[in-house]
Amino acid sequence: MIGLSYLLVQAVSFAGILVIDHRWKLAAFRAPAAAALAVSASVALLLTWDVLGVRSGVFFRGQTDFMTGLLVAPEIPFEEVVFLAFLSHLALVCAAGVSRAVDHARDSRAARASRPSRMTGERR
């Protein structure tokens, strides 16, 4: 069971970001096809980077008791793919959240500026 610890922590973290995404419809729950394409492309790019790093001798797998031991390629554990998918989805959620917060602030400011004053001579 301890060999699944790291994967379990990743799954719980991924689930937390999915809950946030679902609540505010930021990425996968707003445009599922676009989010899937973005995450898939990011994972493919980052896995290519990992493979090149392994081939050049820069990256290597550190084995611990907390990992499953499953490899998707030499020196690339299964948990790496899950982590890259999590990281890519997290980036989408963060970018969409910041964009929505900026839009909300801009809209609120514009709405306040366009409201007529309640009292004559009221200062702002």
Side-chain angles (χ1 to χ4, degrees):
M1 182 66 184
I2 196 164
L4 295 174
S5 299
Y6 183 46
L7 192 58
L8 181 63
V9 168
Q10 288 179 328
V12 168
S13 300
F14 213 138
I17 296 303
L18 284 170
V19 167
I20 291 169
D21 186 4
H22 181 265
R23 167 61 180 89
W24 284 283
K25 308 286 187 268
L26 295 169
F29 292 93
R30 182 180 188 140
L37 179 63
V39 169
S40 298
S42 297
V43 170
L45 177 73
L46 293 169
L47 277 176
T48 301
W49 180 268
D50 281 353
V51 168
L52 292 174
V54 167
R55 284 186 150 188
S56 67
V58 176
F59 299 159
F60 58 92
R61 175 178 55 111
Q63 183 62 34
T64 71
D65 292 337
F66 301 107
M67 295 173 66
T68 61
L70 298 173
L71 299 178
V72 295
E75 299 295 321
I76 300 177
F78 175 71
E79 290 88 351
E80 178 74 4
V81 178
V82 175
F83 175 72
L84 294 176
F86 165 75
L87 190 64
S88 299
H89 186 247
L90 175 64
L92 279 177
V93 168
C94 288
V98 167
S99 177
R100 184 162 309 163
V102 167
D103 290 346
H104 178 72
R106 185 183 320 117
D107 293 347
S108 295
R109 197 175 314 120
R112 279 194 307 265
S114 67
R115 265 189 262 154
S117 297
R118 291 186 204 172
M119 299 170 36
T120 311
E122 179 181 343
R123 293 185 181 192
R124 291 186 185 233

